[in-house]
Amino acid sequence: MKKILLNNKSLNGKTTVLGDKSISHRAIMIGALAEGITNIKGFLKGEDCIATINCFKELGIKIVENEDMISVYGNGLYGLKKPKNQLYVGNSGTTIRLISGILSAQKFSSIVTGDSSIIKRPMKRIVEPLSLMGANIESDNGFAPLYINGSNLKGIEYNMPIASAQVKSAILLASLFAKNKTTIIEKYKSRDHSEIMLKQFGANISINNNVIECNPVSKLIPQNINICGDISSACFIIVGALITKNSHIIIENVGINPTRTGFLEVLLKMGANIKFLNIKYINGEKVCDIEVKSSKLKACDISGDIIPKMIDEIPLFALVASLASGTSVVKDAEELKFKESNRIKTISTELNKIGANIIEASDGMIIEGDKIFYGNECESYNDHRIAMCIAIASLVCNEPIILNNYECVNISFPNFFDILENL
Ligand code: S3P
């Protein structure tokens, strides 16, 4: 469907954003493996996380969804049942990669697949380490569907070739079932929600800088989980307030886990007026209210270890850098090619259609600043983050944008357009 987007608006007022997508997936999965009921508040009812719920229901887990709470009736580490149907993850890379770690260790075989985007995303990155652990996974040359024959697993020592929390988490979940210790060494630290949550559920996990060790345990203990607002969703609203005139917003209860705040660090360097209020910890995750005012931004180069800490926000970086003064360069971000769309290509193409000048590189982009945006017809490529980026860009366009296939925002941020309207 097409949507005509707002232009020339400022954002004002207080809001919250829906629950963190990464944490929501993990709460269902780890809750399903615990012995007893895990109650989850703030769960993100977006399409990706609903796909995770459906997969675990298919694996025999009772999950009760109430208005403001989800209860997962965990059946213990060995309590999953052989699914009658293929497990369908829809568009969710997190679901397929993490669940594969769990399925590798079961006493049954299963098939996992997803939509037209998922079957084009690389799965060798999980098949390789899981196979080293003894998993038996057949794939179409590294692509889904994955045919997983449950096996007895052993611990491994694994140097992560890429910074990926999905790969790390697949190994960690598999390591719960391994007969000995697993060690994962990260060159660049990726988001650590799995480590935090597994520890809370009683897993024997220790973290020493970039080295994670996980020893098998006999059981996980169910927990009450309160999920904070998703920083990646909040970043769209934050950028909306920064780039429009006379904006002043507060987003309450947002997760600011330091492995996720790379983009905020970069925005502060660019001159953004952002304040972190009421900082506290909930379920081991750092949370706060974020206050943002319109700001004049200057260019910034990004590369190296900041990239995994802002991987989902780089399309937004391309947007702010196009409006900032000076030229910005993104390097070491090849991973963007393997997201829901090839985000180096898709964000460059769409922002260039409305007045940006972004040159694509093999591992990033060169982004000329000081641009003035105009209207055009834009595509989302069914990629939720590209759709929301274009919607935010439209706030500073001097003509309307027509956005095709805008409904994909439902993947991670179903009330995105309502929040924009309200602010
Ligand atoms: C995620 C990890 C990241 C991120 C994705 C969610 C997770 O992917 O892009 O949106 O929940 O673990 P990679 O681990 O592939 O970088």
Side-chain angles (χ1 to χ4, degrees):
M1 280 199 288
K2 285 180 195 295
K3 191 169 181 80
I4 300 177
L5 299 169
L6 310 161
N7 57 319
N8 272 322
K9 296 274 165 153
S10 59
L11 302 182
N12 282 287
K14 264 191 189 168
T15 189
T16 52
V17 287
L18 295 173
D20 188 277
K21 178 158 84 69
S22 294
I23 302 177
S24 295
H25 285 296
R26 287 156 172 84
I28 298 292
M29 295 191 187
I30 299 173
L33 301 177
E35 271 178 29
I37 305 172
T38 285
N39 290 316
I40 309 167
K41 285 194 173 155
F43 181 84
L44 171 63
K45 289 185 183 161
E47 286 171 5
D48 271 15
C49 299
I50 291 171
T52 292
I53 291 192
N54 290 338
C55 287
F56 278 84
K57 283 184 174 168
E58 190 65 43
L59 287 162
I61 297 294
K62 178 176 164 190
I63 301 175
V64 178
E65 298 167 56
N66 293 317
E67 187 58 32
D68 64 344
M69 192 163 82
I70 305 239
S71 299
V72 182
Y73 288 69
N75 221 359
L77 282 166
Y78 297 94
L80 300 179
K81 305 255 161 30
K82 182 176 167 60
K84 291 196 183 75
N85 302 299
Q86 292 193 356
L87 297 167
Y88 185 75
V89 305
N91 191 250
S92 176
T94 306
T95 312
I96 194 165
R97 296 204 175 105
L98 271 60
I99 208 171
S100 297
I102 297 172
L103 295 173
S104 293
Q106 302 306 312
K107 298 265 177 273
F108 51 79
S109 56
S110 48
I111 303 170
V112 204
T113 193
D115 69 6
S116 57
S117 148
I118 274 293
I119 59 172
K120 292 193 209 99
R121 294 180 66 186
M123 296 298 147
K124 260 195 188 134
R125 52 182 59 202
I126 54 156
V127 173
E128 276 173 5
L130 292 174
S131 302
L132 291 173
M133 297 178 82
N136 177 346
I137 306 175
E138 283 161 41
S139 67
D140 179 7
N141 198 23
F143 294 94
L146 303 177
Y147 299 84
I148 306 181
N149 299 304
S151 315
N152 292 324
L153 302 185
K154 59 177 190 293
I156 52 169
E157 184 173 312
Y158 194 67
N159 276 294
M160 295 282 298
I162 42 170
S164 165
Q166 294 180 353
V167 176
K168 172 175 66 174
S169 303
I171 303 170
L172 280 175
L173 289 167
S175 78
L176 296 172
F177 303 89
K179 64 172 193 251
N180 55 326
K181 182 173 84 177
T182 293
T183 306
I184 301 173
I185 302 137
E186 292 186 283
K187 183 170 171 217
Y188 295 135
K189 206 161 173 49
S190 61
R191 65 190 68 187
D192 62 1
H193 305 298
S194 298
E195 295 90 307
I196 291 174
M197 195 178 287
L198 281 168
K199 216 177 212 178
Q200 196 189 345
F201 276 75
N204 185 353
I205 205 169
S206 65
I207 300 131
N208 198 345
N209 296 320
N210 288 17
V211 180
I212 307 150
E213 287 184 350
C214 188
N215 279 288
V217 282
S218 57
K219 63 173 184 181
L220 297 176
I221 302 146
Q223 301 291 319
N224 291 327
I225 303 284
N226 264 303
I227 300 179
C228 51
D230 193 320
I231 180 71
S232 296
S233 299
C235 281
F236 291 102
I237 314 292
I238 291 172
V239 168
L242 286 173
I243 63 177
T244 50
K245 290 201 182 88
N246 304 319
S247 288
H248 180 188
I249 57 157
I250 293 181
I251 314 177
E252 293 172 315
N253 191 38
V254 185
I256 48 165
N257 176 319
T259 60
R260 295 282 298 278
T261 49
F263 185 52
L264 298 180
E265 289 167 36
V266 169
L267 286 174
L268 290 171
K269 267 200 209 157
M270 295 172 86
N273 187 339
I274 300 178
K275 291 202 173 67
F276 304 97
L277 315 171
N278 301 322
I279 296 177
K280 55 187 175 235
Y281 282 83
I282 302 177
N283 294 121
E285 295 281 355
K286 195 171 179 186
V287 177
C288 77
D289 302 334
I290 300 183
E291 182 179 25
V292 189
K293 290 182 184 161
S294 317
S295 305
K296 178 87 197 88
L297 302 175
K298 52 181 189 297
C300 183
D301 294 343
I302 58 168
S303 63
D305 61 358
I306 194 103
I307 299 292
K309 297 202 295 175
M310 60 182 289
I311 190 71
D312 290 340
E313 285 69 65
I314 296 179
L316 270 175
F317 176 77
L319 164 59
V320 284
S322 297
L323 301 168
S325 61
T327 299
S328 302
V329 179
V330 181
K331 284 189 188 150
D332 303 325
E334 201 183 355
E335 270 299 299
L336 289 178
K337 292 181 180 164
F338 309 112
K339 297 294 172 188
E340 287 82 333
S341 67
N342 171 348
R343 287 184 179 157
I344 295 183
K345 183 168 272 323
T346 52
I347 197 62
S348 306
T349 307
E350 296 312 301
L351 289 179
N352 286 349
K353 273 188 193 168
I354 59 170
N357 183 9
I358 305 177
I359 301 168
E360 292 172 42
S362 61
D363 69 343
M365 296 168 256
I366 302 165
I367 307 157
E368 210 175 275
D370 296 305
K371 296 297 169 217
I372 294 169
F373 288 164
Y374 44 81
N376 207 334
E377 182 160 350
C378 289
E379 306 301 326
S380 73
Y381 305 87
N382 249 336
D383 182 335
H384 52 135
R385 300 206 195 278
I386 300 299
M388 290 187 279
C389 248
I390 299 303
I392 295 298
S394 79
L395 296 173
V396 292
C397 280
N398 44 26
E399 298 145 307
I401 288 181
I402 297 167
L403 175 61
N404 292 322
N405 276 323
Y406 74 90
E407 324 76 276
C408 58
V409 303
N410 291 332
I411 286 168
S412 65
F413 199 167
N415 62 352
F416 169 74
F417 288 109
D418 297 337
I419 288 187
L420 272 192
E421 294 279 355
N422 290 340
L423 289 173

